[in-house]
Amino acid sequence: MDQACYLNAHQARDREPDDYQNLLGDTIERAYADGVHDLAGLIDRLNEVRVPSPNGQAWTAELFQKEMKRLGA
């Protein structure tokens, strides 16, 4: 079988990400690249660089998890 067996990272995407999604994703990627691998550290980073949250408040773990679920729906 010559066909590659791996997940295409964009196979479930039905449209291009908007500016908010790109900013959020880029910030998460940079945090991971900087060694941030826990939820608390990620929340701190989102607030530190002032990525806007959906409700305009500071990011919390609960809000982040809710937003990831919404974006993944």
Side-chain angles (χ1 to χ4, degrees):
M1 183 182 274
D2 292 321
Q3 193 173 22
C5 296
Y6 59 89
L7 175 66
N8 178 338
H10 304 292
Q11 71 187 21
R13 186 176 5 172
D14 58 359
R15 63 180 172 75
E16 290 297 313
D18 60 26
D19 290 341
Y20 164 72
Q21 293 167 338
N22 281 325
L23 177 60
L24 183 59
D26 289 348
T27 303
I28 292 168
E29 287 179 3
R30 285 189 194 109
Y32 285 156
D34 290 344
V36 176
H37 298 287
D38 62 295
L39 184 56
L42 184 55
I43 299 307
D44 288 344
R45 179 64 60 92
L46 290 169
N47 288 318
E48 178 184 304
V49 300
R50 299 184 181 186
V51 173
S53 70
N55 65 6
Q57 303 295 318
W59 285 97
T60 64
E62 180 181 19
L63 178 59
F64 178 80
Q65 291 168 329
K66 184 177 178 181
E67 183 66 352
M68 291 299 103
K69 184 175 182 178
R70 182 189 75 80
L71 291 171

